[in-house]
Amino acid sequence: MTQADYDDYLATAATTFASEKVKAGTWNEQLAFQRASETYQRLLPNGIKTPDNYFYRIDQDKTKVGVLWLAKSHDNPEAAFIYDLYIFKDYQNQGIGTEALRLADDEARQLGFKRIALHVFGHNERALHVYQKSGFEITDINLEKPL
């Protein structure tokens, strides 16, 4: 990923993350964007040059169709963590996400990792299906209900 691609990604990433956290009921709408921005700043203090973070532009026929952010896990140094995999709407449901996950596995192996992990929001059933189809297994489940 180039710096320009990273800048494009970052321009919408915090808003998207904030929206997902609100949808999941984790954050309230008033503070969501601020919290998301703080999270990105904490995780990427040096932007695209932050050590142990790897950014990829996903292309199909020379057209940008998505992005992948892979990083060394904070919890397990032998594991890569997929912080973000996003396929643009016009290119979803075409197998691109599944192929990107296969390539992420290959890249993580080449970087020396022995495992790969990610987080998925509970309301994102389509992504959960793709991840499980790609060999990911559920390791933790948080449950919540309104009172």
Side-chain angles (χ1 to χ4, degrees), residues 20-82:
E20 292 294 314
K21 293 292 264 185
V22 169
K23 188 186 279 187
T26 308
W27 293 345
N28 70 43
E29 202 166 340
Q30 291 75 26
L31 296 176
F33 181 75
Q34 177 185 339
R35 286 184 174 175
S37 297
E38 289 168 356
T39 299
Y40 275 84
Q41 183 58 43
R42 180 176 46 78
L43 293 173
L44 299 167
N46 299 319
I48 196 171
K49 294 180 181 176
T50 301
D52 298 322
N53 286 267
Y54 312 92
F55 293 89
Y56 304 91
R57 173 182 155 142
I58 301 168
D59 285 2
Q60 183 180 47
D61 300 323
K62 299 183 182 180
T63 299
K64 182 177 171 182
V65 299
V67 296
L68 171 70
W69 171 16
L70 186 68
K72 182 177 182 180
S73 171
H74 293 283
D75 297 325
N76 179 355
E78 291 189 341
F81 191 85
I82 297 173

Side-chain angles (χ1 to χ4, degrees), residues 67-100:
V67 296
L68 171 70
W69 171 16
L70 186 68
K72 182 177 182 180
S73 171
H74 293 283
D75 297 325
N76 179 355
E78 291 189 341
F81 191 85
I82 297 173
Y83 274 99
D84 204 356
L85 169 60
Y86 184 72
I87 306 301
F88 304 145
K89 282 210 183 291
D90 290 347
Y91 300 96
Q92 293 177 2
N93 299 315
Q94 298 177 28
I96 297 168
T98 300
E99 180 64 12

Side-chain angles (χ1 to χ4, degrees), residues 20 23 85 120-131:
E20 292 294 314
K23 188 186 279 187
L85 169 60
V120 62
F121 288 102
H123 60 265
N124 196 342
E125 293 177 19
R126 183 177 62 202
L128 180 59
H129 170 75
V130 171
Y131 297 141

